[in-house]
Amino acid sequence: MPSTHDWINDPLGVVEGMFAASQSSQSSGWEAKAVELFKEQLKEKEAQTLVPSLNDVPLHYLKPDSLVRFRCLVQDMFDPEFFMGVYETVDPATKARTLRCGKYKDVTESGVDVNSRSTVTAERQTFYCVPIPGENQWAKDGYAETRSSQGRVVPSTSYVPSRQKRSYEDDEEMEVQPQKQKETHAASPSAADPHGNGDCKRQETEAPSGPAASASHLDLNFPLPGEKGPSCLVKVYEDWDRFKLNDTLQVFGILSVSPALSALADEKDSFLDPAAGLESAAEQRVHSPPASLVPRLHLLHAERLDHNNPLLPGAALQENRAFLSSALGEMAAVRAELLSYFTHVLLGDALAAEFLLLHLLSSVYSRRDVLPLGKFTLNLSGCPAAAAYTQRLYQIVQQLVPSSFYLAMSLQNMNQMRLVPRKDYVANRLVSGALQLASSTSLFLDETQMEPGQLDATGVRNVTALGNLITWQKVDYDFNFHQMEFPCNINVLIASEGRSLLPSDCRVHLQPQVAPAHMEEYLSSIHVHPQASSQLNKFRVFLSVARLLDYSISDEVTKAVEDDFVDMRKDDPQSISADDLHRLLVVARLLSLSLGQTSLTRDSWLRAKHIETLRRSRMEQHKSVNGNEP
Amino acid sequence: MSSPASTPGGRKRGRNANPATPSSEGPISPPSQRRRGQDSSGGDLMPMPTSPATDVLSPAAPQDTSLLSSPRPSVMPNEADISSPLGYWTPSSRVEGTPSSRVEGTPRSGVRGTPARQRPDLGSVRKAPQVDLQSDQPSTDGAVASEPNAGHRLVIWGTDVNVGTCKEKFQRFLQRFIDPTSTEDENAGLDLNEPLYMQKLEEISVVGDPVLNVNCRHVQSFDAELYRQLICYPQEVIPTFDMAVNELFFERFPDSVLEYQIQVRPYNALKTRNMRNLNPEDIDQLITISGMVIRTSQLIPEMQEAFFQCQVCAFSARAEVDRGRIAEPAACRHCNTTHSMALVHNRSLFSDKQMIKIQESPEDMPAGQTPHTTIVYAHNDLVDKVQPGDRVNITGIYRAVPMRVNPRQSNVKSVYKTHIDAIHFRKTDEKRLHGLDEEAEQKLFTEDRVQTLKELAAKPDVYERLASALAPSIYEHEDIKKGILLQLFGGTRKDFSQTGRGHFRADVNILLCGDPGTSKSQLLQYVYNLVPRGQYTSGKGSSAVGLTAYVMKDPETRQLVLQTGALVLSDNGICCIDEFDKMSDNTRSVLHEVMEQQTLSIAKAGIICQLNARTAVLAAANPVESQWNPKKTTIENIQLPHTLLSRFDLIFLMLDPQDEAYDRRLAHHLVSLYYQSEEQMEEEFLDMAVLKDYIAYARTYINPRLSEEASQALIEAYVDMRKIGSGHGMVSAYPRQLESLIRLAEAHAKVRFSEKVETIDVEEAKRLHREALKQSATDPRTGFVDISILTTGMSATARKRKEEVAQALKKLIETKGKTPAMKYQQLLDDLRGQSETAITKELFDEALRALADDDYLTVTGKTVRLLA
């Protein structure tokens, strides 16, 4: 049996040991046993945190061929490849033949006898994985902290994770990215380096990844602009069918950064090699990028992530009774606090705050044929155009949800951005787009940025794609000859001045309680919650837990709801349609969940009806004031 | 130089190497062939690249078998392979066999005068492997080699194929195989009771195209063992087939002249695979996969054989390409000068090659995955047979090539490159061009599945069941669902082009109109997800080009390419158009042709063509006033041209019924959506997959025809419909309605899996048609159902009224006497004063227009002038 940390530091040794043992004892199934072993070791959450994470630790600090983990999104799936599962090597000096295991490796040992009959061909699948798009800094930091608090740092380095943060903040400004946290951290890259030796440290970070300079021409294919972080080619050895595109995974695998990989790719003198010659250079680049940029990860174990909130326990929520019950106990109190915070943020509008809260809890929990259930797209209209209000609003959302993306719907963005992923047949890969997002990402659409002008063909396509996303919770990826739809689960929040041009499930018109004269002043007083992050953390836990809860409706309440509906229709058939009932049911569900109730009660139903009525009457009012609303 | 003579390469060479060949100079193994025997003499006969060797071999002695014993070091499987041919052939164990270098011009013995053409697709015809391998291997393999010999069971290396037996069996197959039930279009015109392939050979002798396509399924039904060998050892068996067929052919047709010898191209290997299921066990086997071509490379001339000439003495030598390399002779064998050999390009041999990328068809893919791609190499005449976008079935040999071992590098990448050497392409949508068979996707159903489907069809309430299984999340609207169900099945396609009427439309078009928020879009989405060839567009977002087709320049080839739009893409499917009313007139106008003639004419950028667009249209439209106005006709509510409306077989209104019982059921339905578990829902309704298969099966296999009673019933129904109107002096049915009825009745028969349209089908068609009409064609003024609302855009009463007004106006003008011009307003006022009923401005305008049409007057601005 391997010693305590062998399985982290030298997993290949462990695998090979098992392989050798199986060869001598003729026992079969060593592969399953090996996987089982690692799974067993990784059962404990503590053990998991011992494994260094590619997300937090720069690649060059990681020991090659050691076990690492990676929190990622499956961005693309390449074709399966055949490799030598078992092969024989011949020692040129002694002519001794040795059987070797080719699993979990990219490169064979020297002296391979390609003609050996003991060669066993096996199959594996490659996934192209990127860090979870739009993951917010607090979530990243949260994950990084859990592991550094374990005290153990990466073997063989004196690396301190906190420095890593700098490199994230060095990003050149992407115009679509709001100035996140610019208030707290001075933005200009030259100024303000909290670490005195920051500059030389940074050089150190960049120097080893020499080819990183060329990273600009090698597109790492991140869904969102301005993203940083490693991407990975994950090699999966079994059951790859259970993974789907856009799954978020925690992958445990053996890191392979063998420089031989890039060397092999380079010396393709394509003229005489018919196979290589026909593969386009673009494809080469995509499918075998330099290992120093895109490391290979040979998967030993992977878990699908329900959420990427570092404050929640990793395992399924229902199993963690203790955590769940304490969270449920606090729910109502936290809800009240959050509501008053939102009311403050939304210029004193309590009703809008209520709906914003519900919106942040929503999640597509099921689909009935084509109909997604549980989505709750919110259109906040009447946002003041002043003082970059929408961007402030986004910063607040950003502080609360683990991953989010701000999309300014400016004409230029709509006409130029690639929202829908597209298959590039030349490079044979799926070129990502901004709508390739992980499940339960918050998408903030800022329609106040829209100005009159012409949408070109791309713009129309992009708007249509957004509309489809909102209505059907799916994105039609463009495969050139056909489209393929991928279901998604994205919370869309639209901030606009008037009614949004996009469809939405629910629109609330903001009614500021602040006099226009004081608006500027008031707005500048809203900023990212300065007080203790413990309160923020409570909010974060609240939002994540509530959307993971189960929910049901009892027969009695069903009956009551039906009666209610019939009565309402009887009074005035125009007042409520099937769509309204749909919405009411969603609101009731979210309202119950926000109170920590897992089944609908009569009270929640009435309350849902009440806030719906309030909202509708406000719409009526607004309509009569405005007159130009349809 | 890896002397080709030193080793007997593939069996193919072995076969033709017959002792009589004078030039066999192989020092080691006597049977090593000098293909073409032209080492010195024949070279001049073959200056053209890719031109087949033109050697004439001495009449083939059937000694082929003798060669079989010759060791074939290039393919060295172990004993296990021999005993279990289906076993695992690791690519590495056959490494020399896989690269697709080949001997071109493999001569086939015995067929006078006809050159054999190389088969790079088989790729097995190995050049001599490197010497070191050879020295290395005979020690181990020799033993194996001798074994079969000893047992007098001569088999090809590494297989259990005995060439003699195999050939005999195949010849017997060719001579005897009869398939009386054949329905393939390839066999059209052949006598099904005669041996099928003999007729094909005859065809070859007449047409001169020396390719014999053999359906593997036929081979299987004839001789399962032969089929197994074919699948497992295609590289060995197909050349044997070639040999067999040529012997047979030239025996039969001794006088025919072919460009080169006949090549056998098997297709439809039953082992048809989804690309996703390919695994290492399929390597070197014959497989058929289906997919869509996504890229084709340009033609690649691949050197087959290099021609070297000594600069000193002009002695020439040839070197065959071995795994992409040419071994340049270091010294001239004749004059012994070193480094004197120079490559002569135009005497070297090349063959055509093309790389094709195939992608899984979208239908075969599990949800949430991205499609896989595979590289296919096409050789010789298969080059440029397919274009990007084609859906094809490819039969070929699956190959895995190890990454080249670089001598300078100690470790290698442990990954193989895989590809398929294509032997046969079959475009699955090819038939569309010929219009022979409407169903392109010959979806394969397992027997179990067919059984389940048939059981389902036998149930008396199958129609209701299926209808309720359609979009279960949408509440009620039973008739609409039934209508859509019939649309999914479609009528029977009829071809009257002989008598000049062309094709009859078999597809049912449906328009849904109604209040917003009545889940029309959802219904459309559902249908789009259900049918394999569905397209979904929104009237708002689509332009005429997006619907039809456009021409664009391919950035790579600079060729003009016709890109097809939604309507063409949904040929044989359903095109769902949402927000039909928001569509621009221009866009809508293309639908006229599509919805009746089912073709699409394009004249653009020099491309003039007519594409098939046999698509059913399912459209949804919102009323103009956002709420349906029951006081107006359908036309007025949705403001669509009646010419278009009349092309819809069924027009349904989806209105909000305001009734308590309905509300209650609706509420229950919706609430249950929100809390029932997935399983509960599934129990209640038919699985979507079953429904899909059911429809696909019915569309493929059921072609109902009208029975006598049904025709009578239809006639009666039509006559009745016309009668209804005649009472009020209006026509209430047109032949188009009769056609609709027929289509609906046929579709209903299909739902029952019945080959005959019977009275019950007609009854249902009538009922549905009536229901739809009742909703859409009721004249709000009279309360009568009035078909002319849909056919002419206005109800008969309205039209009568218009005529009356026109007459009144004419009279009025005549009473005014000979005034050549009148004021418009004046005239209107006069008319209003005269008439008892209210005359609206529109009505007046229409009356004026009617008179203008009769050339009675013209209207210019505010003046009305009399003509004549």
Side-chain angles (χ1 to χ4, degrees):
Chain A
M1 272 293 109
S3 81
T4 345
H5 293 311
D6 266 4
W7 61 275
I8 295 181
N9 291 331
D10 185 19
L12 273 180
V14 175
V15 170
E16 261 156 30
M18 296 184 82
F19 172 72
S22 78
Q23 289 303 309
S24 52
S25 67
Q26 295 297 319
S27 68
S28 59
W30 69 273
E31 288 157 312
K33 267 186 237 155
V35 171
E36 203 46 50
L37 174 97
F38 284 98
K39 232 182 236 170
E40 201 56 41
Q41 297 282 5
L42 290 168
K43 254 206 180 126
E44 296 300 311
K45 172 121 198 280
E46 284 67 43
Q48 293 197 359
T49 52
L50 286 181
V51 181
S53 163
L54 261 179
N55 298 89
D56 316 323
V57 185
L59 183 56
H60 55 278
Y61 282 116
L62 291 169
K63 193 168 153 231
D65 295 334
S66 66
L67 191 69
V68 295
R69 64 197 163 105
F70 186 37
R71 199 172 61 255
C72 59
L73 169 111
V74 181
Q75 191 270 323
D76 194 5
M77 296 167 146
F78 293 159
D79 294 326
E81 59 188 21
F82 292 174
F83 69 100
M84 297 182 215
V86 177
Y87 59 95
E88 203 169 30
T89 53
V90 187
D91 189 313
T94 61
K95 296 271 173 237
R97 293 176 161 268
T98 331
L99 268 190
R100 290 180 187 275
C101 165
K103 225 177 163 188
Y104 307 119
K105 274 181 257 179
D106 285 305
V107 180
T108 61
E109 308 281 326
S110 55
V112 182
D113 176 10
V114 276
N115 305 318
S116 160
R117 324 199 166 128
S118 354
T119 308
V120 175
T121 310
E123 192 180 6
R124 68 184 174 205
Q125 166 79 290
T126 308
F127 293 154
Y128 186 83
C129 295
V130 296
I132 296 174
E135 194 172 58
N136 287 321
Q137 193 59 43
W138 68 265
K140 284 184 177 142
D141 292 347
Y143 276 111
E145 268 160 37
T146 21
R147 67 159 302 284
S148 63
S149 68
Q150 289 295 313
R152 271 186 55 91
V153 182
V154 196
S156 83
T157 69
S158 57
Y159 167 71
V160 183
S162 65
R163 274 182 210 137
Q164 171 62 9
K165 278 204 238 163
R166 289 304 313 155
S167 67
Y168 278 109
E169 278 149 36
D170 289 340
D171 328 344
E172 57 277 50
E173 290 289 290
M174 292 302 302
E175 74 263 64
V176 284
Q177 199 77 335
Q179 291 100 349
K180 55 175 183 194
Q181 302 172 329
K182 288 308 175 214
E183 291 86 353
T184 45
H185 303 272
S188 95
S190 59
D193 196 327
H195 314 283
N197 58 350
D199 269 347
C200 63
K201 271 298 165 199
R202 194 175 333 134
Q203 266 153 22
E204 188 195 314
T205 3
E206 273 157 21
S209 50
S214 61
S216 46
H217 73 76
L218 188 102
D219 178 12
L220 289 182
N221 213 5
F222 292 126
L224 301 179
E227 291 262 304
K228 286 268 161 110
S231 56
C232 237
L233 283 170
V234 177
K235 311 266 179 181
V236 187
Y237 288 83
E238 56 228 344
D239 288 344
W240 46 82
D241 289 347
R242 73 195 159 103
F243 299 112
K244 291 189 166 159
L245 200 74
N246 303 343
D247 272 354
T248 45
L249 304 173
Q250 169 101 294
V251 171
F252 293 90
I254 300 171
L255 180 73
S256 162
V257 284
S258 169
L261 275 176
S262 344
L264 282 173
D266 286 343
E267 51 93 24
K268 277 267 175 328
D269 46 338
S270 52
F271 178 64
L272 286 176
D273 186 341
L278 293 176
E279 211 171 66
S280 69
E283 186 166 353
Q284 262 302 325
R285 229 179 3 250
V286 167
H287 287 256
S288 24
S292 53
L293 269 180
V294 182
R296 317 301 198 256
L297 212 56
H298 296 270
L299 181 132
L300 281 165
H301 176 57
E303 358 181 280
R304 192 170 282 125
L305 296 175
D306 288 337
H307 61 84
N308 57 331
N309 188 338
L311 303 168
L312 260 58
L317 204 54
Q318 264 61 32
E319 285 164 26
N320 205 327
R321 289 263 158 238
F323 178 84
L324 189 64
S325 58
S326 83
L328 283 181
E330 286 189 334
M331 216 100 170
V334 181
R335 182 185 198 277
E337 275 178 60
L338 186 56
L339 201 60
S340 71
Y341 177 47
F342 277 161
T343 313
H344 171 68
V345 169
L346 294 172
L347 311 174
D349 186 341
L351 185 68
E354 181 94 40
F355 275 98
L356 178 61
L357 188 139
L358 297 184
H359 161 75
L360 289 176
L361 296 180
S362 68
S363 163
V364 178
Y365 62 96
S366 164
R367 282 170 194 273
R368 291 278 177 260
D369 39 73
V370 292
L371 187 73
L373 297 178
K375 68 176 176 104
F376 193 63
T377 305
L378 181 65
N379 177 203
L380 267 184
S381 57
C383 291
Y389 176 72
T390 48
Q391 290 172 22
R392 273 161 208 273
L393 193 58
Y394 172 65
Q395 280 162 25
I396 283 153
V397 171
Q398 200 182 20
Q399 284 301 310
L400 296 172
V401 298
S403 32
S404 60
F405 177 59
Y406 172 87
L407 177 62
M409 285 181 66
S410 63
L411 261 191
Q412 194 195 6
N413 268 345
M414 294 319 286
N415 281 340
Q416 289 172 4
M417 259 182 93
R418 190 173 54 238
L419 292 185
V420 176
R422 173 178 60 83
K423 178 87 178 184
D424 175 355
Y425 284 112
V426 177
N428 195 14
R429 74 158 162 193
L430 189 64
V431 179
S432 195
L435 292 187
Q436 190 174 19
L437 295 173
S439 173
S440 74
T441 304
S442 280
L443 178 62
F444 191 99
L445 298 177
D446 188 352
E447 214 180 271
T448 58
Q449 306 284 319
M450 183 72 103
E451 61 269 29
Q454 193 176 5
L455 282 180
D456 60 17
T458 328
V460 172
R461 257 201 304 277
N462 279 341
V463 173
T464 317
L466 284 175
N468 273 340
L469 169 73
I470 292 167
T471 324
W472 307 112
Q473 285 287 333
K474 61 163 193 176
V475 180
D476 286 317
Y477 290 14
D478 180 4
F479 278 77
N480 197 349
F481 301 99
H482 59 97
Q483 302 199 321
M484 206 141 59
E485 68 183 50
F486 285 88
C488 54
N489 181 3
I490 299 173
N491 285 2
V492 187
L493 177 61
I494 310 165
S496 60
E497 284 174 78
R499 198 176 108 128
S500 166
L501 61 94
L502 294 167
S504 61
D505 295 316
C506 164
R507 178 165 79 97
V508 181
H509 194 84
L510 215 53
Q511 282 184 345
Q513 306 297 311
V514 185
H518 303 297
M519 187 69 90
E520 287 287 335
E521 199 184 322
Y522 186 90
L523 285 178
S524 53
S525 76
I526 306 174
H527 40 77
V528 183
H529 225 272
Q531 73 242 53
S533 64
S534 73
Q535 193 182 12
L536 268 183
N537 278 351
K538 264 197 270 173
F539 292 164
R540 291 164 182 168
V541 171
F542 166 78
L543 290 176
S544 295
V545 168
R547 57 184 298 161
L548 289 172
L549 291 175
D550 283 334
Y551 174 75
S552 64
I553 305 178
S554 69
D555 285 346
E556 280 163 76
V557 181
T558 311
K559 187 84 184 70
V561 169
E562 286 169 31
D563 288 344
D564 240 12
F565 178 72
V566 174
D567 288 346
M568 282 187 280
R569 297 263 307 176
K570 220 188 275 172
D571 298 344
D572 177 9
Q574 295 298 324
S575 70
I576 183 163
S577 67
D579 271 358
D580 294 324
L581 182 58
H582 267 289
R583 180 166 48 240
L584 257 180
L585 285 165
V586 177
V587 170
R589 174 192 146 88
L590 295 173
L591 201 62
S592 303
L593 292 178
S594 75
L595 292 164
Q597 299 164 347
T598 52
S599 73
L600 181 62
T601 61
R602 181 89 192 135
D603 277 352
S604 308
W605 171 250
L606 290 178
R607 201 163 153 187
K609 259 175 66 178
H610 177 65
I611 61 170
E612 250 311 277
T613 324
L614 283 182
R615 186 187 70 86
R616 286 172 66 115
S617 67
R618 182 184 288 192
M619 289 301 104
E620 298 290 318
Q621 228 178 321
H622 178 67
K623 209 184 274 177
S624 50
V625 172
N626 239 13
N628 60 357
E629 292 279 318
Chain B
M1 165 172 184
S2 68
S3 88
S6 63
T7 53
R11 344 110 282 238
K12 213 185 224 170
R13 284 135 131 273
R15 203 181 314 124
N16 55 51
N18 77 59
T21 314
S23 61
S24 76
E25 59 210 325
I28 300 175
S29 44
S32 79
Q33 64 320 315
R34 206 59 237 147
R35 326 146 300 298
R36 285 187 234 111
Q38 76 299 51
D39 229 12
S40 46
S41 57
D44 48 336
L45 287 176
M46 23 181 315
M48 310 264 297
T50 79
S51 83
T54 48
D55 62 321
V56 178
L57 281 178
S58 55
Q63 285 108 334
D64 311 82
T65 45
S66 68
L67 319 162
L68 301 175
S69 60
S70 68
R72 203 172 50 108
S74 55
V75 183
M76 283 292 144
N78 49 31
E79 285 92 329
D81 290 336
I82 293 177
S83 56
S84 78
L86 282 167
Y88 220 58
W89 279 20
T90 65
S92 68
S93 67
R94 317 201 44 181
V95 57
E96 309 86 343
T98 40
S100 56
S101 80
R102 85 306 312 279
V103 175
E104 40 52 59
T106 307
R108 258 140 265 207
S109 48
V111 186
R112 314 133 296 139
T114 310
R117 193 171 193 200
Q118 64 204 13
R119 297 207 57 168
D121 46 355
L122 296 179
S124 62
V125 207
R126 283 291 323 124
K127 262 322 46 77
Q130 283 134 14
V131 184
D132 60 320
L133 289 174
Q134 237 193 334
S135 58
D136 190 73
Q137 297 208 332
S139 52
T140 47
D141 298 313
V144 189
S146 57
E147 241 174 286
N149 271 341
H152 278 285
R153 212 181 133 253
L154 303 180
V155 294
I156 299 181
W157 263 100
T159 71
D160 59 356
V161 179
N162 178 313
V163 171
T165 333
C166 179
K167 222 164 81 175
E168 217 172 278
K169 275 181 174 174
F170 188 63
Q171 288 184 343
R172 199 162 44 208
F173 165 75
L174 293 177
Q175 285 166 321
R176 304 214 183 132
F177 181 78
I178 299 171
D179 182 7
T181 58
S182 166
T183 51
E184 285 175 77
D185 44 341
E186 280 94 338
N187 300 343
L190 297 184
D191 183 347
L192 296 180
N193 296 317
E194 291 293 309
L196 180 68
Y197 289 100
M198 292 314 286
Q199 297 181 64
K200 290 204 174 175
L201 283 183
E202 205 172 322
E203 224 174 74
I204 292 175
S205 78
V206 176
V207 179
D209 179 21
V211 172
L212 180 68
N213 294 325
V214 175
N215 190 337
C216 292
R217 200 175 300 199
H218 294 165
V219 178
Q220 191 191 29
S221 63
F222 189 80
D223 184 340
E225 171 68 10
L226 189 65
Y227 170 76
R228 185 189 60 75
Q229 288 183 340
L230 173 63
I231 296 298
C232 299
Y233 312 111
Q235 324 198 113
E236 290 80 8
V237 172
I238 296 173
T240 316
F241 282 7
D242 283 355
M243 223 169 12
V245 84
N246 280 302
E247 277 176 22
L248 193 68
F249 180 79
F250 286 101
E251 197 176 291
R252 269 301 151 101
F253 311 100
D255 300 327
S256 42
V257 179
L258 294 181
E259 197 189 337
Y260 50 87
Q261 295 189 4
I262 298 175
Q263 297 192 347
V264 174
R265 300 228 168 111
Y267 66 94
N268 198 9
L270 281 197
K271 210 173 174 177
T272 300
R273 295 226 170 217
N274 185 329
M275 213 173 283
R276 206 161 275 270
N277 298 336
L278 288 177
N279 64 40
E281 288 173 35
D282 295 317
I283 290 171
D284 285 328
Q285 306 217 340
L286 191 70
I287 51 164
T288 300
I289 59 164
S290 59
M292 189 166 67
V293 178
I294 51 169
R295 270 183 84 203
T296 55
S297 74
Q298 292 186 330
L299 188 143
I300 304 157
E302 195 181 46
M303 188 178 277
Q304 292 309 317
E305 191 178 72
F307 185 91
F308 291 99
Q309 197 163 40
C310 176
Q311 307 276 35
V312 180
C313 64
F315 174 81
S316 62
R318 285 163 191 283
E320 283 175 16
V321 173
D322 180 22
R323 270 167 292 165
R325 288 170 182 241
I326 301 162
E328 185 182 346
C332 173
R333 259 186 295 157
H334 189 252
C335 62
N336 283 327
T337 324
T338 52
H339 305 301
S340 64
M341 304 296 277
L343 183 69
V344 183
H345 269 286
N346 56 4
R347 292 185 67 182
S348 299
L349 290 179
F350 295 86
S351 73
D352 295 350
K353 178 171 169 178
Q354 186 179 34
M355 185 195 76
I356 297 166
K357 275 218 165 150
I358 306 283
Q359 182 184 276
E360 255 178 306
S361 354
E363 301 90 66
D364 296 344
M365 292 193 28
Q369 312 259 333
T370 58
H372 287 179
T373 54
T374 307
I375 296 175
V376 174
Y377 288 116
H379 304 272
N380 291 335
D381 56 333
L382 291 183
V383 166
D384 270 347
K385 272 279 159 66
V386 290
Q387 294 293 323
D390 287 348
R391 285 169 190 242
V392 289
N393 278 330
I394 291 181
T395 306
I397 305 176
Y398 194 41
R399 309 280 193 191
V401 190
M403 292 292 192
R404 195 153 47 89
V405 185
N406 188 327
R408 281 168 297 156
Q409 205 130 29
S410 53
N411 34 20
V412 294
K413 227 171 152 180
S414 58
V415 177
Y416 297 102
K417 286 202 174 266
T418 51
H419 69 263
I420 295 169
D421 277 321
I423 291 179
H424 186 274
F425 285 121
R426 185 185 167 95
K427 284 190 206 177
T428 41
D429 44 5
E430 192 175 42
K431 291 173 197 150
R432 266 206 253 175
L433 294 176
H434 310 308
L436 271 175
D437 185 359
E438 58 259 44
E439 211 43 47
E441 286 101 311
Q442 288 274 340
K443 205 174 167 190
L444 292 172
F445 296 96
T446 60
E447 285 190 12
D448 287 358
R449 197 60 162 184
V450 174
Q451 201 53 43
T452 341
L453 296 181
K454 286 198 169 141
E455 270 167 31
L456 186 59
K459 297 203 167 124
D461 59 343
V462 58
Y463 179 55
E464 282 73 20
R465 259 168 198 263
L466 292 178
S468 66
L470 205 67
S473 69
I474 297 161
Y475 189 59
E476 292 205 335
H477 296 299
E478 287 306 321
D479 280 335
I480 298 179
K481 285 188 184 176
K482 283 178 181 170
I484 291 178
L485 187 71
L486 294 187
Q487 179 182 40
L488 289 170
F489 284 88
T492 313
R493 197 149 279 157
K494 308 166 199 72
D495 188 354
F496 290 99
S497 35
Q498 305 265 314
T499 51
R501 233 217 93 164
H503 295 275
F504 265 55
R505 168 158 71 96
D507 303 283
V508 178
N509 297 325
I510 295 184
L511 176 68
L512 308 175
C513 24
D515 297 339
T518 38
S519 39
K520 294 189 298 292
S521 311
Q522 212 181 314
L523 209 51
L524 258 57
Q525 277 281 337
Y526 184 87
V527 169
Y528 157 66
N529 280 300
L530 186 70
V531 292
R533 280 245 179 105
Q535 290 291 322
Y536 183 93
T537 65
S538 170
K540 228 195 253 169
S542 51
S543 60
V545 266
L547 277 181
T548 58
Y550 52 99
V551 178
M552 63 171 245
K553 209 168 233 169
D554 187 312
E556 264 173 56
T557 60
R558 320 288 307 148
Q559 273 177 345
L560 285 177
V561 190
L562 198 62
Q563 294 277 339
T564 46
L567 284 171
V568 180
L569 284 177
S570 56
D571 188 21
N572 278 322
I574 293 186
C575 189
C576 302
I577 307 176
D578 206 349
E579 316 221 30
F580 196 63
D581 49 313
K582 309 263 187 328
M583 206 176 251
S584 72
D585 291 343
N586 191 8
T587 316
R588 238 184 258 137
S589 65
V590 304
L591 285 170
H592 283 110
E593 186 186 352
V594 171
M595 288 177 61
E596 200 57 62
Q597 277 69 45
Q598 306 225 288
T599 54
L600 202 66
S601 307
I602 290 165
K604 212 175 263 168
I607 296 180
I608 298 170
C609 62
Q610 203 173 42
L611 299 170
N612 275 330
R614 288 159 306 177
T615 170
V617 174
L618 176 61
N622 286 323
V624 186
E625 299 165 25
S626 84
Q627 195 82 30
W628 189 269
N629 184 347
K631 296 197 185 66
K632 292 185 165 182
T633 63
T634 309
I635 298 269
E636 286 160 339
N637 260 312
I638 52 179
Q639 299 265 305
L640 283 174
H642 58 87
T643 45
L644 204 52
L645 278 191
S646 66
R647 284 171 160 84
F648 284 101
D649 298 86
L650 297 173
I651 299 176
F652 286 109
L653 301 191
M654 276 181 103
L655 298 181
D656 205 352
Q658 291 162 2
D659 131 58
E660 188 180 325
Y662 171 86
D663 290 347
R664 182 164 295 278
R665 289 195 308 267
L666 175 67
H668 181 74
H669 179 78
L670 289 183
V671 178
S672 66
L673 269 185
Y674 279 83
Y675 78 96
Q676 262 184 352
S677 67
E678 205 83 43
E679 297 82 59
Q680 274 174 298
M681 289 300 281
E682 251 148 53
E683 277 167 31
E684 275 174 54
F685 299 107
L686 267 172
D687 195 357
M688 190 157 160
V690 176
L691 183 61
K692 253 185 187 169
D693 280 0
Y694 194 94
I695 293 170
Y697 185 87
R699 285 184 68 111
T700 317
Y701 297 104
I702 315 284
N703 291 303
R705 301 183 68 91
L706 291 178
S707 67
E708 192 52 43
E709 305 90 75
S711 330
Q712 279 308 320
L714 279 168
I715 294 168
E716 269 169 40
Y718 181 61
V719 172
D720 281 351
M721 279 166 79
R722 295 208 35 123
K723 253 191 222 148
I724 294 173
S726 63
H728 321 287
M730 53 193 179
V731 185
S732 58
Y734 294 90
R736 243 188 203 152
Q737 273 72 46
L738 178 58
E739 280 174 30
S740 288
L741 276 185
I742 296 174
R743 274 191 289 272
L744 292 171
E746 283 166 348
H748 189 261
K750 270 192 192 176
V751 176
R752 299 186 297 120
F753 277 11
S754 160
E755 287 289 350
K756 254 202 170 94
V757 180
E758 287 169 54
T759 339
I760 51 163
D761 301 318
V762 179
E763 285 307 316
E764 174 59 21
K766 253 166 70 182
R767 189 192 68 80
L768 208 56
H769 195 254
R770 201 171 51 231
E771 284 305 312
L773 272 185
K774 214 194 267 172
Q775 293 180 0
S776 58
T778 304
D779 184 346
R781 274 169 277 246
T782 60
F784 288 119
V785 172
D786 183 355
I787 190 74
S788 52
I789 290 176
L790 300 180
T791 49
T792 62
M794 58 202 312
S795 66
T797 36
R799 200 174 32 209
K800 218 155 142 197
R801 176 113 187 84
K802 187 178 101 180
E803 267 161 38
E804 281 166 9
V805 174
Q807 287 314 314
L809 183 62
K810 199 171 174 186
K811 243 183 228 151
L812 178 77
I813 294 170
E814 274 163 8
T815 56
K816 297 212 166 197
K818 287 263 174 228
T819 37
M822 282 154 286
K823 285 264 161 21
Y824 173 91
Q825 194 58 41
Q826 172 81 42
L827 205 56
L828 176 56
D829 291 343
D830 286 356
L831 189 64
R832 274 186 177 156
Q834 200 185 49
S835 163
E836 307 106 58
T837 53
I839 305 271
T840 60
K841 197 160 177 298
E842 289 79 41
L843 207 52
F844 178 67
D845 283 341
E846 266 176 34
L848 276 182
R849 223 172 297 134
L851 292 181
D853 286 346
D854 294 342
D855 285 338
Y856 181 69
L857 48 76
T858 64
V859 183
T860 40
K862 289 279 165 223
T863 11
V864 178
R865 264 171 234 286
L866 284 186
L867 295 173

